[in-house]
Amino acid sequence: MEKLDLALDDLAGLLELYRALRDDSRTSTLRRDPEGFRRLQREVAAAADAYAATLIASAAGEVTGPRITKCRKAALAKMKSAVAKQRELAALVNQQRLPEPTVRADVAQLVTLSLQCRAAVAALAASPTVDNKAAEAIGNKVLVDLREATLLYLARARDSAASDGGAARIAVVALLERTGPHAAELAKLQHDGAEAAEGAGNILAQDVNTLLHRTARDWDVGAESPAA
């Protein structure tokens, strides 16, 4: 959890930087070069996507120190101009800090779903009572949809004027609902006998199925509420 929290902090920082770049009320010498300024926006957005994609691809769903390093390298490779302007960008962000705990929590939810799915697939594939190819094929369907949902959420959260994640949630609910049947199928792969049903892979797959459906339901309800 400590490493995952560190990764989520990194992602939150990239999101805050992007939103600072989008805030026309902030002053900066960087604005003297409009095209360069827009390039910085594109780079930071690409860096966040690269970081998230690398994070959710963690082998067996385990976030380690080397994986964090890999995430950071992937992000840095996408933002070479931004790296060269670190001091100016820090000053821009510090003009008005914009912590977004709701968005961070939503991203954590999506990332956790991917990591738990990878852990479930790895455990199921190691079980002698499970069809390894079936586990990997079904798990890949879930992972592809979750990756798309995560990147779509980040894109909507970056460009939304609100900081409550409402618009981003609305955008990804359909994707979560689409992958629901695949998650349910994954949870049923290992079901023969009490011992099999209590296996680590089956328990993890059931957790993914439960969390996925709960997230889709909660976010869909939130999207329809007047407060959202």
Side-chain angles (χ1 to χ4, degrees):
M1 285 300 296
E2 180 182 347
K3 291 294 188 295
L4 178 56
D5 283 339
L6 180 60
L8 292 170
D9 286 343
D10 286 346
L11 275 172
L14 288 169
L15 177 59
E16 183 179 13
L17 173 55
Y18 182 87
R19 288 175 70 86
L21 284 164
R22 293 266 297 179
D23 184 354
D24 292 335
S25 69
R26 302 186 188 216
T27 59
S28 174
T29 56
L30 294 171
R31 293 185 180 276
R32 295 172 184 171
D33 177 8
E35 178 53 38
F37 200 74
R38 288 191 290 271
R39 182 170 58 251
L40 289 173
Q41 293 176 345
R42 293 192 298 269
E43 286 188 1
V44 173
D49 287 348
Y51 193 111
T54 305
L55 177 62
I56 61 180
S58 299
E62 184 180 358
V63 182
T64 62
R67 174 57 59 167
I68 296 292
T69 299
K70 189 171 184 178
C71 290
R72 288 174 173 174
K73 286 183 177 179
L76 289 171
K78 297 291 185 179
M79 51 189 296
K80 294 181 179 178
S81 298
V83 170
K85 303 290 185 179
Q86 289 183 65
R87 183 173 299 178
E88 294 95 328
L89 290 172
L92 185 71
V93 170
N94 286 327
Q95 286 180 32
Q96 181 184 358
R97 299 307 305 267
L98 294 173
E100 297 182 329
T102 300
V103 171
R104 186 186 187 282
D106 286 353
V107 173
Q109 189 96 326
L110 292 170
V111 168
T112 297
L113 273 167
S114 287
L115 296 176
Q116 287 187 344
C117 185
R118 288 191 179 278
V121 171
L124 286 170
S127 172
T129 64
V130 173
D131 183 335
N132 294 356
K133 290 184 178 180
E136 291 177 357
I138 298 171
N140 188 59
K141 292 178 182 177
V142 178
L143 289 167
V144 167
D145 282 347
L146 289 176
R147 182 184 188 278
E148 185 178 350
T150 302
L151 297 182
L152 179 58
Y153 183 99
L154 287 172
R156 290 292 191 272
R158 283 194 294 264
D159 293 330
S160 174
S163 61
D164 60 1
R169 287 182 173 189
I170 293 171
V172 303
V173 162
L175 276 171
L176 298 179
E177 291 176 341
R178 184 179 76 187
T179 199
H182 298 313
E185 191 178 357
L186 187 68
K188 293 177 181 177
L189 272 182
Q190 183 170 289
H191 61 274
D192 297 328
E195 183 177 347
E198 294 174 359
N202 197 45
I203 292 173
L204 285 167
Q206 290 172 0
D207 287 345
V208 170
N209 186 40
T210 299
L211 181 58
L212 178 63
H213 283 85
R214 184 191 306 134
T215 302
R217 179 199 65 208
D218 292 349
W219 289 10
D220 192 35
V221 170
E224 294 175 355
S225 68

